[in-house]
Amino acid sequence: MGRSLIKYVIQKIAHGTLVEEYKRGYPRLAAFVASDPSFAIARRFSYLHARNVLYRQDRLADLEAQLQELDENEQTQWYLSSRRDDGNSLRAQLLSRLGDELREYENALFSHLRVHTLPSPSSRAKENVQTWMNQYKPLVKSEADFILKSDLLTLDSTEDRGRFDEIIERAVERVLPRNLGYRLLSSKETRVMTSDQNVHIYKPGRLRMLSRVVVTLVVVALLLVPILVLYNVHTSLRRFLTIIFSILGFAFIVCLTTKARKVEIFTATAAYGAVLVVFVAQSA
């Protein structure tokens, strides 16, 4: 694992124990996963959740059909009009089973919903975990192959980490000199958190702060550059084309580098376009 391939944050976990000090195997893998929220990657098991829901659903459908059949074949109207005096013991047993099956079905549904709504790991986080596991091989191959599956989820849902953060991280690693990029995102404390010389440790929050700074500069550029162009262009056609391409560029940048929802992309693009239109109207 080269330094230019993976530079990630490994924080000290409980009692200050280094990841490398844990026994190789599940203990060391658990210490690594617990060291940073982005490493908390697990299988989603979407197929198994779907199979479980379908199985419980059909069991309920079977009980539903049995209950309807019992009700339709009931000869004593009083039994259908009173639960307390219902003399059909099969119906009571069936309704008891029905309650248990409904609870199991609801548990399966909401479990599937909770797992389905958890975010997928970023390609960078998956790459970091996979590269670490390939080097240290904490598990036997058959048990380590979970990281190669496509139905992965992450428990790191507290941060708004989008594609732009990954672009910034890769740019720091590949564009800046190695020591400069490492020192920019690390601190004296984080540089001694692991004994592995191939692992670069980032101080939590520095990458996010750098990403925010770059985003701020990009936003300012997206506003100022079109305004400067519009200020120096006087024909209506050129101004119209400048506005169109600026709005398209802004929308694509927001769409490709953030996790903004469709309504947020629409709102931001509309506001951006309004600023340019107002400038043209006032400078006409």
Side-chain angles (χ1 to χ4, degrees):
M1 178 173 58
R3 292 186 181 181
S4 61
L5 175 63
I6 175 173
K7 299 174 183 178
Y8 50 77
V9 179
I10 299 182
Q11 300 176 6
K12 239 181 219 185
I13 58 179
H15 309 299
T17 307
L18 299 179
V19 171
E20 293 85 1
E21 295 178 5
Y22 281 82
K23 295 279 290 184
R24 180 185 173 190
Y26 275 103
R28 185 176 297 183
L29 177 59
F32 173 76
V33 170
S35 65
D36 188 83
S38 66
F39 300 153
I41 299 175
R43 289 283 305 277
R44 195 183 301 272
F45 291 111
S46 300
Y47 171 77
L48 295 182
H49 276 283
R51 282 294 300 268
N52 187 35
V53 169
L54 293 173
Y55 174 76
R56 297 292 174 187
Q57 175 181 269
D58 191 63
R59 285 177 65 94
L60 275 175
D62 187 31
L63 292 178
E64 181 183 35
Q66 294 180 42
L67 181 61
Q68 289 177 349
E69 184 178 1
L70 277 177
D71 292 342
E72 291 174 359
N73 296 332
E74 183 60 63
Q75 301 297 320
T76 305
Q77 177 62 40
W78 185 260
Y79 290 168
L80 295 176
S81 301
S82 174
R83 180 195 62 83
R84 299 178 184 180
D85 296 333
D86 188 358
N88 193 327
S89 60
L90 291 178
R91 184 164 29 247
Q93 295 174 8
L94 191 60
L95 287 171
S96 179
R97 289 177 54 195
L98 186 64
D100 294 335
E101 289 294 337
L102 279 171
R103 282 191 293 273
E104 292 294 334
Y105 179 64
E106 290 173 359
N107 289 337
L109 278 179
F110 286 111
S111 294
H112 193 188
L113 175 63
R114 287 193 297 270
V115 170
H116 182 72
T117 54
L118 288 173
S120 298
S122 66
S123 59
R124 186 61 176 165
K126 182 179 177 181
E127 176 187 334
N128 287 342
V129 175
Q130 185 175 346
T131 304
W132 185 89
M133 293 182 66
N134 288 339
Q135 176 179 343
Y136 290 101
K137 296 179 172 55
L139 308 180
V140 297
K141 186 178 184 305
S142 59
E143 298 183 35
D145 284 346
F146 78 91
I147 195 62
L148 303 177
K149 302 295 182 179
S150 59
D151 64 334
L152 296 177
L153 60 82
T154 178
L155 300 178
D156 183 18
S157 58
T158 57
E159 290 187 25
D160 181 23
R161 180 180 173 85
R163 298 185 186 93
F164 195 78
D165 301 81
E166 297 182 35
I167 294 173
I168 295 299
E169 185 175 354
R170 293 180 186 274
V172 169
E173 294 176 359
R174 298 178 181 180
V175 176
L176 296 180
R178 185 174 301 173
N179 291 334
L180 177 60
Y182 179 42
R183 291 185 175 276
L184 180 65
L185 298 180
S186 66
S187 65
K188 292 181 179 180
E189 295 79 12
T190 59
R191 291 169 198 157
V192 296
M193 285 184 180
T194 176
S195 59
D196 191 338
Q197 298 300 317
N198 292 325
V199 174
H200 283 180
I201 305 172
Y202 291 165
K203 183 176 181 180
R206 286 202 176 183
L207 181 61
R208 295 194 300 273
M209 181 60 67
L210 178 61
S211 177
R212 291 177 181 178
V213 171
V214 175
V215 167
T216 302
L217 294 177
V218 170
V219 170
V220 172
L222 287 173
L223 284 173
L224 292 183
V225 171
I227 289 177
L228 289 176
V229 173
L230 292 171
Y231 184 79
N232 292 280
V233 170
H234 302 290
T235 63
S236 299
L237 178 59
R238 290 182 178 181
R239 285 193 164 194
F240 182 70
L241 292 176
T242 300
I243 292 176
I244 289 179
F245 286 112
S246 298
I247 292 176
L248 287 175
F250 177 84
F252 276 114
I253 290 176
V254 172
C255 180
L256 296 177
T257 61
T258 70
K259 293 182 179 180
R261 296 177 297 175
K262 290 188 287 294
V263 63
E264 294 171 341
I265 296 175
F266 177 81
T267 304
T269 305
Y272 177 78
V275 171
L276 297 182
V277 170
V278 169
F279 174 82
V280 171
Q282 290 181 349
S283 60

